[in-house]
Amino acid sequence: MAKKTVKTNAMRILDLEKINHKELSYPVDKGHVDGVTAAKGLGKDPATVYKTLVTIGHSKQHYVFVIPVAENLDMKKAARTCGEKSIEMINVKDINKVTGYIRGGCSPIGMKKSYPTYIDESAKDIDTITVSAGKIGFQVELEPSDLLRVTGSEYADLLMK
């Protein structure tokens, strides 16, 4: 029996935009898998695999931050980047309502709405970036410049030092 091919919304958008990318998958036993485990499952350096974090600012505006899976978002830098007094992570129960994705499968590509999106500047130094394809166990690999273009994002200094 042939293995069923999964096409997520993020993959369909990349195809539609004719953006060169690789569709990758990793084994998932059950539920949520942390980003470092996902990177290992893909045989990738965690410095090239990025996670998608969704926040809410003091103004109640949502913002998306894309950072390496083994790193932590500096909330003060993030707030300054988007011109907010403060920001905080959205509640896990709100992820699907805000993005259309679930925890562990949140892609910066193809959210329900277009939110201001910032990619950590470390992505400038890598040839390809791997992000969630919008479903747990599935990732897409593409050039950082293509991710910037398809998400309408910009680079920023976002990591805790």
Side-chain angles (χ1 to χ4, degrees):
M1 182 175 194
K3 187 177 176 185
K4 183 181 176 208
T5 303
V6 171
K7 271 292 185 194
T8 67
N9 192 38
M11 292 172 185
R12 283 189 289 276
I13 289 169
L14 292 172
D15 288 344
L16 185 67
E17 295 291 325
K18 296 182 178 16
I19 293 175
N20 189 28
H21 66 283
K22 286 184 190 168
E23 297 171 1
L24 309 169
S25 64
Y26 59 90
V28 179
D29 289 333
K30 44 184 137 128
H32 177 73
V33 174
D34 70 272
V36 173
T37 302
K40 288 179 183 172
L42 294 167
K44 298 273 183 195
D45 177 350
T48 67
V49 179
Y50 284 53
K51 59 188 170 186
T52 305
L53 304 174
V54 183
T55 64
I56 188 164
H58 183 74
S59 68
K60 303 301 179 205
Q61 165 72 42
H62 289 97
Y63 300 93
V64 177
F65 298 94
V66 182
I67 67 170
V69 295
E71 301 293 338
N72 292 305
L73 179 64
D74 184 315
M75 299 301 260
K76 289 183 180 179
K77 284 181 182 179
R80 275 194 306 273
T81 295
C82 51
E84 287 280 355
K85 180 177 174 182
S86 63
I87 63 164
E88 59 186 49
M89 298 300 296
I90 65 169
N91 194 304
V92 172
K93 70 177 177 50
D94 294 329
I95 290 174
N96 184 262
K97 180 174 70 176
V98 171
T99 68
Y101 292 120
I102 62 168
R103 179 177 184 234
C106 189
S107 178
I109 305 164
M111 290 190 182
K112 277 182 167 180
K113 291 169 88 178
S114 182
Y115 300 111
T117 302
Y118 303 91
I119 300 172
D120 185 65
E121 63 189 8
S122 60
K124 292 178 185 176
D125 300 327
I126 58 177
D127 294 330
T128 60
I129 185 170
T130 302
V131 297
S132 174
K135 184 176 172 82
I136 294 174
F138 296 89
Q139 302 272 311
V140 289
E141 178 184 71
L142 63 163
E143 290 183 15
S145 60
D146 286 333
L147 182 61
L148 279 174
R149 184 167 49 89
V150 76
T151 59
S153 56
E154 59 187 74
Y155 288 123
D157 177 14
L158 301 171
L159 303 181
M160 293 182 116
K161 300 293 182 211

